[in-house]
Amino acid sequence: MAQQTILQKLEILADAAKYDASCASSGTAKKNSLGSSKGIGSTEGMGICHAYAPDGRCISLLKLLLTNHCIFDCHYCVNRKSSNTPRARFTPQEVVDLTLNFYRRNYIEGLFLSSGIIKTSNHTMEQMVEVARILREEHDFRGYIHLKTIPEADPQLVHQAGLYADRVSINVELPTDSGLTRLAPDKDARQIEGAMKGVKSSIVEATDARKRFKHAPRFAPAGQSTQMIVGADAATDADIVGKASRLYDGYSLRRVYYSAFSPIPDASAVLPLKRPPLIREHRLYQSDWLMRFYGYKAGEVMQATGADGNLPLDIDPKLAWALKFRGEFPLDVNRAPKDRLLRVPGLGVKAVNQILVARRYKTLRLEDVGKLTVSIAKVRPFICTPDWRPTQLTDRADLRALLAPKEEQLELFAA
Amino acid sequence: MTAMANDLTQGAYYSIEMPAPDDFAFWREQARRLVQCGVPPDKVAWVEPGGSGDLFSQSQLGGGGANLPDPPQNASQPRASKRFLQLAGNAALHSDPDRFALLYRLLWRLQSQPRTLDDKTDADVRKLLDLDKAVRRDSHKMHAFVRFRLIEDDMPREAAVQDEVEHYVAWFEPDHHILRANAGFFMRRFANMKWSILTPRGTLHWDGETMHEGPPAERSDAPEGDPVEDLWRSYYANIFNPARLKVGAMMSEMPKKYWKNLPEASLIPELIAGAQSRESTMVAAGALEFEERPQTLPAIDQAIHGCAKCPIGQLENRAVMGEGPDQAENFSGLMIVGEQPGDQEDLGGRPFIGPAGQLLDVHLQKAGIDRATAYVTNAVKHFKYVQRGKRRIHQSPGAKEIDTCRWWLEAEREVVKPKLVLAMGASAARSMLGRTVSITRARGEAVTLDDGSELWITAHPSYLLRLDGDARMKQAALFDADLAAVAERLRELANA
Ligand code: SF4
C-alpha cells in the first residue's frame, strides 16, 4: 500500500474519533508559558470552544485516534477487527506535530487522544504515553491533554499517563455487564472498573502529596471521566442513571458522558434496529445535572422514569419527577428552603439563588418570580406566593399535557 | 453629597476627554474627583478620543468644558463595591458611546444608595449588566476565534537576531474595545511565539518579551492562507458526526458574523447539505438497513432468499432456512446451530442433509435426542464456496459474514424461543457469542444467554469427518459426551 500522507491519516483518524462525546477541556490546574524558556500553552480553568461543528458540538481539543487498527471486536465500534473501514496509524511524533501546529494557530486547547488496540494493550498505551511525554517534556507543552486509557494496560502505564495528562478517561462503554459481554466480548467490566479504581487512588495520593509538598507531581488535575453508549443495547435509563451514580460515587468521576449510539458504517447485525433519538441522550444529561447540581439522588431520578424504565422524552426529568410527586408542591416561594426550591420545574440554580437574595428584602409576588425565570407558566403550578395559589392546577389530570412542549418543538430534536 | 457641592462647582458643566476608549483607570480617576467635587451626572459629558464631544457641552460651553477644580481637602473617598468596579471595568470596554456616562451615573447613585446594584429591575443596573455581558462574550469569542497564520518574517530586525523567526499574524474584528484587555491571555498562552493580532481598533505585537501596541489595521494588512489550514479544515470536516446534525446549536455559538475569518467556516454549507447523504452512506456501507426484523419463520425464510447483506449471498446459491417441529408440543426446547449449508443442503434447500448431517443423526440417536423435536439451523444461511472445475469447495465464513448473518439467526431465535442452544463449531459459537472462542475450552459447560436460555458449545460433526483412526475415535467420544450432557440438561429443563 502506498504511504499515506498526514492529510489522509488525519481524515481517517479524526473520522474514527467522531463518535466520542467528551471533548471538554475544563477544570484543570491553571498553567501558562510566560517566563518559561521554550514552553507553549496555557490553561485558565475554563476551556474554550474554538469552533463548533454542524452537529452543534464544540471543538476544543484535537480529538484523534493514534490508530484505528484494533485487535478487539466490539460490535458497536467502527474500528472493530472485523470491520472493513479504511485503516491508518500515526506515529507519536506526527500527533505531536499536528497538535503543536494547530495549537500555535489557536485552533485548539490541546489534545484528546484515544486509540484502537494495536499488538497489545501495553504497546498501545506506551505509544499514547509517548505522545504526551514528547509534548510535555520535549516541547514543554502547557495546554490540555486528555488521554483515553486502555483499561487492559499495565496499571504502571496508566499511572504514567496520568502524570502527563490533565484528564484521563476510561470508557465503561455499556451500562450493563450483560450488554458489555454481548457487544464488547473482548472487554471485561471488572477490568475497566479496576483501572478506574487505580486512577482514583493515584489522584487521591497526588492531591494529598501536594498538600504537603508543593512540588509533588500533579496527577490528572482535571480528574477522570468516562463514557457510556446509549441505545446500543437494551439498558434502560434507570440502569444507566444507576450505573452513572455508582461510578460517580465509587471512582470520584468528574463527568460521565453519554453518547447516543450512532449508526456506524459496517455495522454488525447485533446492533439495534434504530438509532435512539438524540433527545434521549439529552434527557440523560439533564438527569446528570439533577444529580450533580440539584441534589437529587440517583434513586429519585429513577423514580422519574416510566414503566419501561426510561425517562419520558416529551418532558424533562425534573418536571417528570414533580408530576409524580405532586404532593410535594406547591412550595411557598417566600419560605421554602433552598433544596426544596431547587425541585421546582422551571427554576434553575441561578433563579433559586436570586429568590433567596431577593426575599431577604421583600415578599415575592408571582410577578417578581416571573422576572427571574424564563417561563413563569412552567413554574406557576408548583409554587405559591401571597397573590397566587395553584391548588386546582396541580390536581388537574391534564397538567402534563399543559406543560409538555408542543409537538412541533419536539420535532427539532427528534431523530 | 450635596454638602460637597460648593458654590464653585454649582451649575458648571464639565467635558472629560478620554485619552483612549478603553482607559478605565483614567475614567476612575476623573470620576473620583467629580464625585468629590459634588458634580452631578447631568453636568458631565464624557468624550471619546476622536469623538465630536457632545451637543450640550459644545453649545453651552462653546467647546471644551470647564477645568475640574481640586476637590476639597476633607473630601472623603467615593464608595464603590468591588463588584461595581469589576463590572464597570469590563463595561467600560463596550463600544456604546454612553458607557462612561452610565458608569458615572451609577457611581453617583451608589454614594447615597449603596444597594443600587442589587436591584436587577433598575434600568441603569440592567444596562450595566448587559454591557458587561456583551464585553465578556466578545472577549470570549476573541480567545476562541483568533486564527493565527504563519508568515515568513521580513520585518526589519535589530542585529544579532536569528535570521528566521516564525511570526504568527491574526486578523480579528472585535465588536468592542477589548483588544488591550485581552493581551494578557495571548501572552500567557503564546509566550515564546512571535505574534501580532491586527484589528480595526488597534494592533498588538508580541516578540516573546515585550508587547507593542500599534495603530488600527486593515484586513489587507493580514496574511492570506497557511498550508496548515488544509489540515485543519480536513479535521473539522471529519470530526463532525453527520448523524447528529444540529445546526441551530452551532449557529448560536458561532454566529455567521465570525465566519469570514474562520478558515473552517467555508466548509459549513456543504457539510450541512451533505450530512443526510453521509449518514445514509454510513448506514448503507454496512449494507444493513435498520429495517424491521421479520416475526415469523416463513417471513424469515422469504427474507433470507432476498438477502445479499454479505458477499456470500451474491454467489450462485440459495438460502437455506432452519427447520424444526411444526407443532409447539413436539418441540423439546433444543435449537441446534451448525455453520452453513453445504453443497447438498444448498441443492436440497434443507439443513443438515449431507454427510455431516447424517453423521449428526447417528450421534444424536446415540445420545437419545430425537432430531424431529429440535429446531436445526445454521449460523450462516448461504453456502460459501470456491468453484474448482465442476466442484464447489466449502469455505468457512469470515467473522464479518457470521456477524452479519446473525441478524437472521436472532430472528429465528426470537420466534422459536429455545431453552437450550447447541452451537456446533467455531462459526456457530461466534454467531451466538459475538466473539471467537476456543471449542476445546468452551465445550462441556453452559453459558447463560441474554434471554435466560443456555448455550452449549461443541465441535461441528464435519470436523469428525475430516479425521480418522485414533483421532477420530477420540473426538467422537468427546462429541458423544457433549451430546449426552445436553440430553441430560434437556431432561432437567423439561422437568423443571
Ligand atoms: S449468508 Fe446470511 S448475511 Fe450473507 S447474504 Fe446470506 S443470508 Fe444474508
Side-chain angles (χ1 to χ4, degrees), chain A residues 135-213:
Chain A
L135 277 171
R136 292 286 196 235
E137 289 182 357
E138 292 179 17
H139 299 277
D140 198 0
F141 177 68
R142 302 181 180 197
Y144 198 91
I145 299 180
H146 178 159
L147 294 179
K148 183 149 116 189
T149 64
I150 316 275
E152 294 80 10
D154 186 334
Q156 250 334 94
L157 285 167
V158 177
H159 184 82
Q160 252 187 303
L163 291 175
Y164 292 123
D166 292 275
R167 170 171 285 182
V168 292
S169 58
I170 299 167
N171 284 2
V172 295
E173 313 288 12
L174 292 160
T176 63
D177 289 2
S178 64
L180 196 69
T181 320
R182 189 174 131 85
L183 295 177
D186 307 298
K187 295 203 167 147
D188 175 357
R190 255 174 310 168
Q191 205 160 27
I192 294 172
E193 296 201 17
M196 282 185 177
K197 199 166 161 194
V199 170
K200 178 194 170 179
S201 49
S202 297
I203 292 175
V204 171
E205 274 166 35
T207 329
D208 277 358
R210 276 188 78 85
K211 280 185 199 137
R212 273 170 286 140
F213 317 104

Side-chain angles (χ1 to χ4, degrees), chain B residues 303-314 317 319 340 379-383 400-408:
Chain B
I304 58 176
H305 279 82
C307 177
K309 287 180 194 292
C310 85
I312 309 180
Q314 287 147 27
N317 55 18
Q340 63 166 335
V380 169
K381 306 303 179 199
H382 278 103
F383 176 36
K400 178 159 165 41
E401 289 153 348
I402 296 169
D403 292 349
T404 309
C405 208
R406 177 175 180 169
W407 180 256
W408 302 121

Side-chain angles (χ1 to χ4, degrees), chain A residues 33 39 41-42 44 50 52 54-55 63 73 82 105-106 109 182 263 265-266 269 273 275 281 361, chain B residues 115 143-144 146-147 188-189 192 226 235-236 241 244 246 279 282 288 290-291 400 403 407 430 450:
Chain A
S33 47
S42 65
E44 310 213 331
H50 287 264
Y52 292 83
D55 53 16
K63 195 156 51 159
D73 215 358
S82 56
R105 285 161 181 81
N106 201 39
E109 291 287 283
R182 189 174 131 85
D266 212 12
L273 293 165
R275 69 176 154 106
E281 179 188 292
Y361 310 113
Chain B
R115 307 219 76 114
H143 297 170
V146 156
R147 296 280 186 266
R188 290 190 293 279
R189 175 154 295 193
N192 293 293
D226 179 324
Y235 175 71
Y236 181 77
N241 185 349
R244 313 176 52 116
K246 273 190 185 169
E279 182 186 0
M282 271 163 68
L288 280 174
F290 288 118
E291 67 205 22
K400 178 159 165 41
D403 292 349
W407 180 256
R430 177 170 179 112
D450 266 5

Side-chain angles (χ1 to χ4, degrees), chain B residues 205-251:
Chain B
H205 306 275
W206 170 258
D207 61 7
E209 272 161 24
T210 39
M211 180 71 76
H212 298 284
E213 287 178 38
E218 280 174 26
R219 178 76 193 81
S220 56
D221 299 332
E224 284 294 337
D226 179 324
V228 170
E229 282 175 8
D230 284 340
L231 287 171
W232 174 240
R233 266 190 290 266
S234 152
Y235 175 71
Y236 181 77
N238 284 290
I239 200 63
F240 143 64
N241 185 349
R244 313 176 52 116
L245 202 59
K246 273 190 185 169
V247 181
M250 171 189 71
M251 298 291 281

Side-chain angles (χ1 to χ4, degrees), chain A residues 6-7 10-11 14-15 17-19 32-34 36-42 44 48-57 59 61-63 73 75 80 82 84 98 102-109 178 182 185 260 262-275 278 281 361 371, chain B residues 115 118 121 143-148 150 168 185-193 206 226 228-232 234-236 238-247 249-250 253-254 264 271-272 278-279 282-283 285-286 288 290-293 399-400 403-404 406-407 410 430 433-435 450:
Chain A
I6 295 287
L7 186 72
L10 180 67
E11 275 165 11
D15 188 89
K18 70 172 177 258
Y19 303 98
N32 67 62
S33 47
L34 263 186
S36 78
S37 60
K38 62 178 169 116
I40 173 160
S42 65
E44 310 213 331
I48 296 171
C49 298
H50 287 264
Y52 292 83
D55 53 16
R57 292 194 289 186
I59 299 177
L61 302 172
L62 171 61
K63 195 156 51 159
D73 215 358
H75 290 273
R80 59 196 229 282
S82 56
N84 280 329
L98 266 178
F102 283 3
Y103 198 89
R104 288 196 192 102
R105 285 161 181 81
N106 201 39
Y107 300 162
I108 51 170
E109 291 287 283
S178 64
R182 189 174 131 85
S262 297
I264 51 169
D266 212 12
S268 152
V270 192
L271 292 171
L273 293 165
K274 295 189 185 79
R275 69 176 154 106
L278 288 181
E281 179 188 292
Y361 310 113
K371 281 188 196 145
Chain B
R115 307 219 76 114
D118 287 343
T121 58
H143 297 170
F145 296 152
V146 156
R147 296 280 186 266
F148 285 115
L150 180 60
Y168 291 85
F185 172 84
F186 291 95
M187 259 160 63
R188 290 190 293 279
R189 175 154 295 193
F190 304 109
N192 293 293
M193 256 164 53
W206 170 258
D226 179 324
V228 170
E229 282 175 8
D230 284 340
L231 287 171
W232 174 240
S234 152
Y235 175 71
Y236 181 77
N238 284 290
I239 200 63
F240 143 64
N241 185 349
R244 313 176 52 116
L245 202 59
K246 273 190 185 169
V247 181
M250 171 189 71
E253 298 293 349
M254 200 166 72
E264 65 274 15
L271 286 179
I272 294 175
R278 235 180 114 195
E279 182 186 0
M282 271 163 68
V283 175
L288 280 174
F290 288 118
E291 67 205 22
E292 293 296 334
R293 211 158 11 201
K400 178 159 165 41
D403 292 349
T404 309
R406 177 175 180 169
W407 180 256
E410 297 226 317
R430 177 170 179 112
L433 290 172
R435 78 189 124 116
D450 266 5

